[in-house]
Amino acid sequence: MLILLFAGVQSLDVTGPLEVFAGAGSAYRVMTASTDGEVVRTSSGLTLTPDTDLSAVPPLDTVVVPGGEGTRDIDPLIVEWLRAHASRARRVVSVCSGAFLLAEAGLLAGRRATSHWRVCGTLARRYPDVQVDPEPIFVRDGPIATSAGVTAGIDLALALVEEDLGRDVALAIARHLVMFLRRPANQTQLSAQLSAQVASRPGLREVQRWIADNPHADLRVPALARRASLSPRQFARAFTAEVGETPGRYVDGVRLETARRLLEESDDSIDRIAARCGYGTSEAMRRAFIRVLGIPPAEYRRRF
């Protein structure tokens, strides 16, 4: 397995997947290489010493292409090497803006791919033959896998370990790395709380925290307004202005996200999860899932 290094690489795009593969012991032989074998300076200023240069790399099973500021000025030597050698590997993986290097080498043409949400628009405009999806944390399309920023590279690396060595090994590595959750591929890059803005006034921030901690509670505008010591009309207007979406839409996002997590992590029944997330009935939760995700909760649990 090879992890490419270049000037301006994001250090965590390198070390995150590297720590995952190293956690599998002797199952993987991981090497790093730069174009000339010389030390590279990452975007944070950390220096990394590669094992070798690209001309000395042996036949490979997996190629990992990290991202970082260094992908803004694409090194033609890396692109040339990818064009010549990537097709010989069993799989090619990119982290974050490493997708730009794969796209420049023609490896993403006609394929579905993702990258960090901030650069997906640029990736789509620059490479119109790539089907860019800004939502998931990683995408598999044949032998090519692309992922979103930084921690998504760890999620993808864990998925590859699970594919190669089984679920138990991947879970053991995740526990060793003290990862709270091993996220499935279709997990959105931004959670409901991250997608929305954080309110500026303390009272509204407290309401946001309350919603996240109590999705089963009465989260209608009058109840939330009382918690914020505002009239319902004042609350709805202020919340929308500061958070960037209506209270109802925000609550819907938090409830759906909580339900997805419980379906992935717990053995609770769908009826129990619907109650815990404030849907009232499993049918109400089912309608929410189909409306947003296109599949019912039972199918979501089966897949993820």
Side-chain angles (χ1 to χ4, degrees):
M1 178 180 296
L2 171 71
I3 300 179
L4 281 172
L5 300 182
F6 49 85
V9 71
Q10 162 64 255
S11 58
L12 284 175
D13 287 1
V14 176
T15 58
L18 180 59
E19 290 292 344
V20 171
F21 296 126
S26 60
Y28 298 103
R29 178 174 174 261
V30 184
M31 63 189 306
T32 57
S34 63
T35 55
D36 55 7
E38 296 297 318
V39 169
V40 301
R41 183 175 293 276
T42 70
S43 58
S44 64
L46 178 71
T47 56
L48 300 175
T49 304
D51 296 311
T52 187
D53 64 86
L54 287 179
S55 65
V57 171
L60 300 162
D61 174 82
T62 303
V63 176
V64 179
V65 182
E69 293 179 2
T71 60
R72 294 179 180 176
D73 297 314
I74 294 178
D75 187 336
L77 294 179
I78 292 179
V79 173
E80 182 181 340
W81 186 90
L82 286 170
R83 285 175 179 156
H85 296 87
S87 62
R88 303 175 189 175
R90 178 166 66 96
R91 61 194 176 198
V92 179
V93 175
S94 71
V95 182
C96 195
S97 58
F100 283 82
L101 297 175
L102 299 190
E104 186 67 19
L107 300 176
L108 298 183
R111 296 188 184 276
R112 182 167 166 260
T114 194
S115 186
H116 191 287
W117 61 272
R118 283 188 182 275
V119 300
C120 278
T122 302
L123 182 66
R125 289 191 297 273
R126 190 175 298 175
Y127 304 99
D129 57 350
V130 180
Q131 301 168 31
V132 179
D133 187 344
E135 288 293 327
I137 60 171
F138 63 87
V139 168
R140 303 286 300 276
D141 190 330
I144 309 292
T146 52
S147 65
V150 186
T151 56
I154 298 176
D155 292 297
L156 175 53
L158 284 166
L160 298 181
V161 169
E162 181 173 353
E163 177 183 291
D164 295 340
L165 305 175
R167 183 172 182 271
D168 290 345
V169 175
L171 285 175
I173 294 171
R175 292 191 186 103
H176 175 71
L177 296 175
V178 198
M179 294 187 65
F180 175 70
L181 173 66
R182 222 164 41 83
R183 299 175 294 176
N186 84 322
Q187 177 73 54
T188 56
Q189 292 192 29
L190 296 180
S191 68
Q193 290 90 338
L194 287 177
S195 296
Q197 303 170 41
V198 176
S200 59
R201 67 180 76 182
L204 294 182
R205 288 202 301 272
E206 176 57 34
V207 167
Q208 287 181 285
R209 286 193 290 269
W210 169 259
I211 292 170
D213 292 340
N214 300 275
H216 61 282
D218 180 1
L219 301 181
R220 290 172 296 182
V221 166
L224 296 177
R226 286 193 297 271
R227 183 163 293 277
S229 300
L230 296 170
S231 72
R233 179 175 293 183
Q234 288 174 321
F235 173 79
R237 185 185 302 117
F239 190 97
T240 302
E242 295 192 20
V243 177
E245 57 187 14
T246 65
R249 193 179 188 92
Y250 185 82
V251 167
D252 287 345
V254 170
R255 282 178 166 158
L256 184 69
E257 185 174 298
T258 305
R260 290 173 66 171
R261 177 172 54 80
L262 291 173
L263 287 168
E264 294 163 12
E265 295 180 332
S266 77
D267 294 324
D268 285 354
S269 69
I270 289 177
D271 286 341
R272 171 63 177 154
I273 291 173
R276 289 180 64 182
C277 295
Y279 285 108
T281 67
S282 58
E283 178 58 27
M285 187 170 83
R286 181 179 182 276
R287 289 196 299 269
F289 266 67
I290 291 175
R291 183 176 66 254
V292 178
L293 302 176
I295 57 174
E299 177 64 14
Y300 183 89
R301 168 171 271 174
R302 188 189 69 79
R303 293 188 189 181
F304 305 114

